[in-house]
Amino acid sequence: KHDLPVPAANDGASGTAVLLDLARRFGNRPPPVPVVLAFFDGEDFGGPGRGEDYCVGSEHAAAAVVRGEIPWHSGRPAAVVVLDMVGERGAEFPRRPDALDGPGRALADALWGTAKRLGVRSFSDRLGVGIQDDHTAFLQLGIPAALVIDYEYGGPRNPWWHSTEDTPEKCDAAALEGVGRVL
């Protein structure tokens, strides 16, 4: 089915949906600190390719931060949170190894701690696999960054990921709402 379009309801649209809802909410009630919403996708070129075909947008943005070309409030973002595959019914967002030490630790502690305080059970203290994604370029600059992702989309072998089966009925408004509340 390589010639068929992928609906991308979860892998692509779910993080975008949460960010768009945050933008709507910020329009009604601005946050107490400046917030920049950026839309990246690790597979910027749409699919299997070479290593340099991934995270192109986030790496470009991180390089622009270094060059001072993006007008962040203090010259650099205080934190970066990347949302990816956050809408699956029964979603689980484990912590990632890159948040155990270094610049992402306090941010991950704040996110997962907030989830626990709010009763958002999809944020799990279980340690997930390490993933290079759109947060990586910011971590490499020493900027606190965290990745909220359910990398097990559709089960242990990810049967819906990057397939024609990544459809809206496999997503859950409560999962999206929980991520939005935590943010």
Side-chain angles (χ1 to χ4, degrees):
K1 297 183 181 179
H2 289 280
D3 294 333
L4 296 177
V6 174
N10 187 35
D11 186 11
S14 64
T16 299
V18 172
L19 292 179
L20 289 173
D21 186 59
L22 285 175
R24 180 186 60 80
R25 291 171 187 264
F26 291 164
N28 296 330
R29 184 172 163 218
V33 296
V35 173
V36 174
L37 301 178
F39 298 79
F40 305 121
D41 191 326
E43 299 96 352
D44 291 306
F45 285 110
R50 301 172 311 269
E52 64 266 16
D53 291 342
Y54 294 96
C55 300
V56 175
S58 56
E59 289 175 1
H60 176 78
V65 166
V66 170
R67 293 189 306 266
E69 295 173 357
I70 295 182
W72 304 98
H73 177 62
S74 62
R76 290 169 63 103
V80 172
V81 178
V82 172
L83 306 178
D84 195 0
M85 297 194 291
V86 295
E88 180 183 13
R89 193 172 294 123
E92 180 189 8
F93 311 118
R95 290 178 177 255
R96 300 288 159 199
D98 56 16
L100 292 178
D101 297 307
R105 176 65 186 252
L107 176 60
D109 287 349
L111 289 167
W112 270 257
T114 298
K116 189 172 195 167
R117 184 173 44 80
L118 295 175
V120 179
R121 291 190 290 263
S122 54
F123 284 73
S124 166
D125 280 328
R126 178 178 71 82
L127 186 62
V129 298
I131 300 172
Q132 181 173 345
D133 207 328
D134 290 303
H135 69 304
T136 305
F138 296 95
L139 280 175
Q140 290 171 342
L141 292 176
I143 296 168
L147 174 64
V148 179
I149 186 172
D150 181 353
Y151 197 61
E152 299 296 323
Y153 182 40
R157 294 189 307 264
N158 301 340
W160 303 325
W161 184 44
H162 292 176
S163 79
T164 57
E165 297 299 312
D166 186 359
T167 54
E169 67 274 0
K170 294 183 181 78
C171 293
D172 180 20
L176 297 169
E177 191 267 341
V179 173
R181 284 181 52 224
V182 170
L183 292 181

